[in-house]
Amino acid sequence: MTGTITMQHGSGGSATGELIREVFAETFQSEVINQMEDAAVVEGCANIAITTDSFVVTPLIYSGGDIGRLAVCGTVNDLLSRGATPKYLTCGFILEEGTPIATLKTIVRSMAETAREAGVKLVAGDTKVIEGSSRNGDKQSKDGANAINAGGITDGGIYINTAGVGFLTGNFKNNPASAGIISAKNARPGDKIIVTGNLGDHHAALLAARMEIETDIKSDNAPLCEIVEAIRDLEVHTIRDITRGGLATVLKELAETADQTFVIESEKIPVDEKVQDFCGILGLDPLYMGNEGKMAVIVAEKDAEKALANIKKAKYGENAKIIGEVTEPKSEADRGALYEKTAIGGLRSLSVLQGEGLPRIC
Amino acid sequence: MTIEEIKDFLKTYDGEEIRLMEVCGSHTEAIAKNGIPAMLSPKIRLLSGPGCPVCVTPSAYIDRLIELAKEPDTVVATFGDLIRVPGSRESLSEAKGSGANVAMVYSPLDVLPLAKEHPETIYIFAAVGFETTTPVYACLLEQLEAEEIENVRLLTALKTMPAVIGYMLENGAKIDGFLAPGHVSVVTGSEIFKPLAEKNNIPFCVAGFQGNELLVALYDLVKNQHQGVVKNDYPAVVTERGNEKANELINHYFEPSDAVWRGIGNVKNSGRLLKGAYQKYDAGSRGLDDDAKINAACICDQVLMGKKKPPECPLFGKVCKPLSPQGACMVSTEGSCFSYFANGRCDK
């Protein structure tokens, strides 16, 4: 199947059937999808984790990844953040007419590969077609007005929603704090804060693409199953996917939820040198930049070194670092506060990201 | 003296109370990022002056941009920070939501390809900034001339140092020393601050943007109290006389003018306007002098003058936050109020 997406592909008729068979079913190779039922029936367990996420990133294909890989990783990592083992995904596609079938195929193939890597099955899907707006554009977007990003890149045309189900059987049994449930509210004084790798790569890769800056920075989008698998036997209290808003936003929210004080040290925060330079030039702060393959893990002090060693051995965890700790609030102002000890010995308090960040990075 | 000794000196200083002001938005940001206020003795107070170009842009200028953005076949191109600055009725961002044509760009030169591709559309660049940004506007004008591009205009609100510092000192601001702006000084040269230092008998110190560079400059300011000296602590890039080529380029297209600073007022010889024949590129920048407060309780004017700190404002952190700025200082990441709010400039 070649050419571009037309309104017919959303008709529900033969063109839709052809699209589903030749692009999706053929690539996903799922027995459940091939049954072409209205809903998938799959094996279950007692406790499940459920989540959903939509993906609207531009450009669709970027250095180190694409919207398809992102759509799998985003949802898989959300499930992992509750300590679940990701099992099933559904995917909904919204396609603009004019989208080349070849582009769609590349993205669907990438989804299938990433799902295999993550050990999840794509079991149900849906496709809708809409009039093209970002690709063909009205006058306003063509002449640069209302183009939110630099260079007026309006390369859209494919939007994906994925929903995911994960199983919670036998997870994190060594976590007496929460009877095996990983939760944002479980952090307690003495816990260590681990970041699983370098910050800001995804954000910098996308920004570079949009600004047409040549760099070899690559997005970090990745499914982090091995990392979570590697710490299942340890006393882990909280896991959080560090996406939009960056590490500072995530840790500030966790500190507030747990009602504790979090202290991190700027010199320990892992940032790739190229990303650091890129941020320096553009006045960006890696602490507030989005990632798509990084987690913050809060673990009991006694297991912290072991957790770090295990994470560093896992796929995508080689640059993990212990960056700080959870402390007892000493005053009312310390409750829910996130402090950063700076390299020169100063102290600053960090808030969540203010303002917009970068639009449509995921 | 080692940097550790300097840190110790600044932490344990116990002389007369000293009020030091930075007049550069990037210094404001760097001071917060490095957590410097927590490293200083309570006797050393840091104040943020009018160094953020977005924060000192009067409301009449924003209103004029919005008016232009609503005209047919016209697009206003701007740096991101400016779109949230409140005008007298609304901000560019709000106007955009109701159909005004606004494009966010990273460089003034980004309008060139757009203008060439759409000759029927007029592009207005919102040209705000200090000596650091003005040469880039001059480069844009050079390109417009060379390529005979007719559909680009500038709406200017250009500011210059150091007249506003003199104005503040003459109008009740009590400041014992200035961190002179690092980037501006690259263009102007450090000697430009000498007359003010001598006249007021206070030290000026040109500072870099790394944490330790700022500490050294603060130490020099404390050590040189009551002395009308200019110290250049950023000698790697700042010279006494500045960048002559950049100044030539600026002076080719622009002439000195009086300028209205938001919250401060009209300051003689503190801005620039397009000059002579180049006024054909001007989208109506002259006479945009009205400066309305959108909230009568806002104390941005006193914050910019160093008379009050952001947390002393009754609106601060309550109705005035980065997502709902009541005054311009809460808009840009370089604004004093934003810096206090978001980067936790939590000095005692």
Side-chain angles (χ1 to χ4, degrees), chain B residues 250-305:
Chain B
I250 292 173
N251 292 329
H252 181 80
Y253 292 101
F254 299 97
E255 61 190 2
S257 69
D258 298 348
V260 173
W261 295 60
R262 192 175 197 130
I264 292 179
N266 196 322
V267 180
K268 284 222 165 318
N269 197 21
S270 69
R272 281 197 180 93
L273 286 166
L274 282 160
K275 82 177 183 192
Y278 299 116
Q279 288 181 45
K280 71 173 180 181
Y281 293 113
D282 195 328
S285 312
R286 286 162 197 262
L288 300 177
D289 294 344
D290 284 343
D291 185 25
K293 263 191 192 183
I294 60 162
N295 190 322
C298 169
I299 62 161
C300 271
D301 48 345
Q302 296 176 69
V303 169
L304 286 171
M305 293 277 278

Side-chain angles (χ1 to χ4, degrees), chain A residues 139-140 142-152 207 211 282-285 288 339-340 342-352 354-356 358, chain B residues 7 29 32-36 38-39 73 75 84 96 99-104 106 110 114 118 120-121 123 211-212 215 322-323 338 341-344 346:
Chain A
K139 184 187 161 298
Q140 283 209 331
K142 269 199 296 184
D143 65 13
N146 301 330
I148 298 177
N149 36 41
L207 192 51
M211 294 177 75
L282 292 173
L284 299 167
D285 187 344
Y288 288 97
Y339 294 114
E340 181 194 5
T342 70
I344 61 166
L347 189 71
R348 71 162 165 162
S349 126
L350 297 167
S351 69
V352 297
Q354 303 292 333
E356 290 150 36
L358 188 65
Chain B
K7 285 180 191 173
E29 222 180 336
K33 259 195 191 159
N34 284 287
I36 288 180
M39 304 176 75
D73 300 321
V75 173
R84 295 192 298 121
K96 182 171 176 249
N101 295 320
V102 181
M104 268 161 64
Y106 289 95
D110 288 346
L114 290 171
H118 305 283
E120 74 291 352
T121 304
Y123 291 87
N212 286 341
L215 292 174
L323 293 182
F338 184 101
F341 185 88
N343 294 327
C346 42

